[in-house]
Amino acid sequence: QGVISSASTPKPSITVAIDAGHGGIDGGTVGVQTGKDENFLNLEYSLYLKELLSSYNIDVVMTRTTLNGLYNPFSENKKLDDMAKRKEIVKQSGAEILLSIHMNSFPLSSSRGAQTFYKKGNEQGLQLADSIQNQLSKNLENTKVGGKVGDFYMVNCTEIPSVLIECGFLSNAEDEKLLISDKYQDK
């Protein structure tokens, strides 16, 4: 009587929710040269991040996987409906970390670089934002060290460590050129 063994894949050690910012009628900001909208780039970066994390056996839940928004088309307040749906997806996923991916814009076109934001008072969010920001600053030019407090719905809607990542400025021609390149996305 032998022992029956079965091969199994180890359970992922952590679940990460990835929120591709904007979507549908809310395209976000647009590039100063190409006119490419943030909605598209956020999704592209988010899907790339999902692939990368999954390759390390990290369970990933996406708030959206298409260019569409998450709102009911008949909703009177589509933005509010969209954000509530994102919050619900994160809550029901059991994720231990939330990463919300965005592209930045600022009236001063000289503003450049990636930046992370976290919820004020969330110590784990601060640690996560600092860790991500410090890695970004090692790999990307024009990026400062350390996360910043940010009053954004996606970092405020949950108590889990949550970070909103602005990957760069679409309002800056040099950043925009980088943001649309696969090489920069890899970094």
Side-chain angles (χ1 to χ4, degrees), residues 127-147:
Q127 291 172 7
L128 181 60
D130 279 350
S131 178
I132 293 169
Q133 187 68 36
N134 292 339
Q135 284 304 118
L136 289 170
S137 71
K138 288 179 185 176
N139 292 309
L140 305 174
E141 294 177 19
N142 304 301
T143 299
K144 295 179 175 86
V145 175

Side-chain angles (χ1 to χ4, degrees), residues 25-172:
I25 61 169
D26 179 12
T29 192
V30 295
V32 292
Q33 292 186 330
T34 66
K36 218 172 226 191
D37 73 16
E38 180 182 0
N39 171 25
F40 175 82
L41 289 170
N42 292 345
L43 182 59
E44 192 174 76
Y45 274 60
S46 295
L47 291 171
Y48 181 83
L49 181 58
K50 177 186 188 288
E51 185 180 309
L52 181 65
L53 293 176
S54 295
S55 75
Y56 287 99
N57 202 33
I58 295 172
D59 191 22
V60 176
V61 174
M62 302 285 292
T63 58
R64 70 179 176 95
T65 57
T66 69
L67 292 173
N68 299 326
L70 302 177
Y71 48 82
N72 179 323
F74 303 107
S75 174
E76 289 185 26
N77 189 333
K78 290 178 177 53
K79 184 66 176 176
L80 184 62
D81 193 28
D82 182 83
M83 298 310 282
K85 181 66 176 171
R86 291 169 193 267
K87 177 182 176 179
E88 187 63 25
I89 290 168
V90 172
K91 181 180 176 184
Q92 290 191 359
S93 74
E96 290 99 348
I97 290 175
L98 168 62
L99 303 174
S100 187
I101 308 299
H102 290 265
M103 304 293 145
N104 216 339
S105 179
F106 194 70
L108 195 63
S109 65
S110 60
S111 296
R112 296 192 67 188
Q115 182 63 58
T116 58
F117 296 92
Y118 64 95
K119 178 181 180 177
K120 182 177 182 177
N122 187 320
E123 187 61 33
Q124 290 180 317
L126 163 62
Q127 291 172 7
L128 181 60
D130 279 350
S131 178
I132 293 169
Q133 187 68 36
N134 292 339
Q135 284 304 118
L136 289 170
S137 71
K138 288 179 185 176
N139 292 309
L140 305 174
E141 294 177 19
N142 304 301
T143 299
K144 295 179 175 86
V145 175
K148 292 183 176 181
V149 169
D151 187 19
F152 298 102
Y153 181 86
M154 289 309 294
V155 296
N156 290 329
C157 76
T158 181
E159 293 305 313
I160 64 174
S162 305
V163 176
L164 186 138
I165 305 166
E166 296 279 8
C167 298
F169 285 81
L170 286 175
S171 55
N172 177 282

